[in-house]
Amino acid sequence: MPAIALPEIDPERCTACGRCVAACPPHVLWLESERPQGWGRKRAMLHDADGCTGCAKCHAVCPFDAIRMVRQPD
Ligand code: SF4
Ligand code: SF4
């Protein structure tokens, strides 16, 4: 069943601390560089939206208030 809400990560606020990545039970978040081959700033990305359960643990652990849960259309 698709998640009711998915995390939206604000790239301006994300410091790539990795706490959300560590907290995500199904491991659907990872840290990714903005530019190819690992260059540029890193930030958290949702790489598998279908695997996200919408549990909001990532939102709860982010110390920088960079994740908001966005309700998905029915
Ligand atoms: S809402 Fe839950 S399952 Fe989805 S990315 Fe955040 S921690 Fe992972
Ligand atoms: S916990 Fe917040 S600041 Fe840290 S990587 Fe995740 S979104 Fe970025």
Side-chain angles (χ1 to χ4, degrees), residues 17-31 44 52-63 67:
C17 72
R19 289 194 201 188
C20 58
V21 175
C24 176
H27 307 294
V28 294
L29 292 170
W30 62 25
L31 294 178
C52 172
T53 62
C55 70
K57 287 189 179 167
C58 52
H59 164 77
V61 298
C62 179
I67 301 182

Side-chain angles (χ1 to χ4, degrees), residues 31-43:
L31 294 178
E32 194 168 282
S33 299
E34 286 177 340
R35 288 190 274 147
Q37 296 172 341
W39 292 92
R41 275 183 57 189
K42 284 194 174 178
R43 63 170 180 228

